[in-house]
Amino acid sequence: MSGTIVKVSGPLIVAEGMSDVQLYDVVQVSDKHLIGEVIELRDDKASIQVYEETAGLGPGEIVETTGAALSVELAPGLIESILMEFRGR
């Protein structure tokens, strides 16, 4: 599923034609394949938080959904240190 950028405002873009995406889906923006996340849906328009530099983006560029939610892989040592901090040692 793909849509088209209609507005760019800093790290926030609005794309139309995105009726099949879901909240928090990860998208790739433009031919630069910038990573973004859908943060609001209204009809077929999606507000997208782009996590990379948006300079040079403009209306008419393509936005494609990956169908996946944003995720990050954590190393076991990192998870352990977070849990120890959470438990207050």
Side-chain angles (χ1 to χ4, degrees):
M1 176 70 197
S2 65
T4 311
I5 295 175
V6 294
K7 180 181 178 182
V8 178
S9 181
L12 179 71
I13 66 168
V14 177
E16 64 183 4
M18 304 290 290
S19 59
D20 288 344
V21 300
Q22 296 184 19
L23 203 56
Y24 307 119
D25 275 359
V26 172
V27 296
Q28 289 186 343
V29 179
S30 84
D31 59 352
K32 298 176 184 178
H33 301 287
L34 304 178
I35 299 297
E37 181 180 19
V38 176
I39 59 171
E40 182 181 63
L41 294 169
R42 290 189 184 187
D43 300 321
D44 76 331
K45 290 186 179 176
S47 295
I48 299 164
Q49 171 75 45
V50 180
Y51 295 113
E52 300 180 60
E53 179 61 47
T54 59
L57 290 182
E61 296 194 60
I62 298 296
V63 177
E64 296 183 83
T65 183
T66 65
L70 190 61
S71 63
V72 63
E73 188 173 322
L74 299 176
L78 183 57
I79 294 171
E80 182 179 325
S81 67
I82 291 170
L83 289 175
M84 294 301 280
E85 186 68 31
F86 180 71
R87 291 180 183 165
R89 286 196 194 199

